[in-house]
Amino acid sequence: ASLRLAVSAPAPTGGLGIDLTSSVPSVATVASRATVPAGEYGADVEVQANAVGTTSITASHATLGSAAAFIEVVNLPALELLPTAPTIGVQRPTVMTLRAPQAAPAGGLTVTLGNSDNTVLRAPASVLIPAGQQSASFEVTGLADGTSRLSAQAEGFATGLSTITVRGKALVLPSSIVVAPGAQTQST
């Protein structure tokens, strides 16, 4: 899971180092230090869930003080974003798949998509998995060189994540193609 670390003013040149600790590392851990990049107001911190239970993640800095977030690790069925780590081209629409662990209920399942960098990647704000279906496809488009983290969230499910790298110049192949023996196919 990802935890957003925010500061009240832009980080200075060279970035701002923040110390991190978990009160119960057997439940969840974080890196011992996070850096807010220069000029930014925050950074995402990856929380690694290790076991069911509760813990507190504390962020501290000598002049800014400290802040804590309560973390509860539970067994939830997870949403999946596929592919999980694609490389896509700038201005090249790419189809992704959102998959739920079970079929969506009557009325469907609306899943909110979070995009860590809207200047690098364009993605819809949400995706609807139709009633009775287990997945839905949607399109993302690379806007500029960089990396963006896409998250899928819905009540009662663990968050699905995909880290998308966008490159202006890259070799990009489809994830798979099915073709019969002796036949030919073209990929665009």
Side-chain angles (χ1 to χ4, degrees):
S2 188
L3 183 66
R4 184 70 178 169
L5 171 66
V7 293
S8 59
T13 302
L16 182 65
I18 306 290
D19 294 319
L20 302 167
T21 59
S22 171
S23 64
V24 186
S26 62
V27 171
T29 56
V30 290
S32 61
R33 192 161 179 84
T35 300
V36 178
E40 298 292 321
Y41 284 86
D44 289 327
V45 175
E46 194 66 31
V47 178
Q48 177 63 51
N50 299 320
V52 172
T54 59
T55 186
S56 181
I57 302 296
T58 302
S60 58
H61 184 270
T63 58
L64 297 177
S66 65
F70 176 77
I71 306 292
E72 182 177 10
V73 178
V74 296
N75 282 328
L76 289 176
L79 295 170
E80 266 187 295
L81 283 170
L82 300 169
T84 58
T87 297
I88 67 173
V90 172
Q91 299 303 323
R92 297 284 309 221
T94 301
V95 175
M96 294 192 66
T97 301
L98 169 64
R99 190 177 340 186
Q102 67 259 355
L109 175 66
T110 299
V111 178
T112 302
L113 296 182
N115 182 357
S116 70
D117 195 337
N118 291 316
T119 65
V120 170
L121 183 76
R122 181 174 47 238
S126 65
V127 174
L128 174 69
I129 298 177
Q133 300 297 309
Q134 205 169 338
S135 66
S137 294
F138 63 96
E139 209 170 72
V140 298
T141 302
L143 301 175
D145 282 8
T147 301
S148 184
R149 175 160 236 173
L150 200 60
S151 62
Q153 298 179 319
E155 186 69 34
F157 294 93
T159 301
L161 299 171
S162 178
T163 301
I164 302 167
T165 302
V166 178
R167 292 195 180 143
K169 293 182 179 181
L171 289 174
V172 179
L173 293 173
S175 58
S176 66
I177 293 177
V178 176
V179 63
Q184 295 180 0
T185 188
Q186 278 191 333
S187 175
T188 57

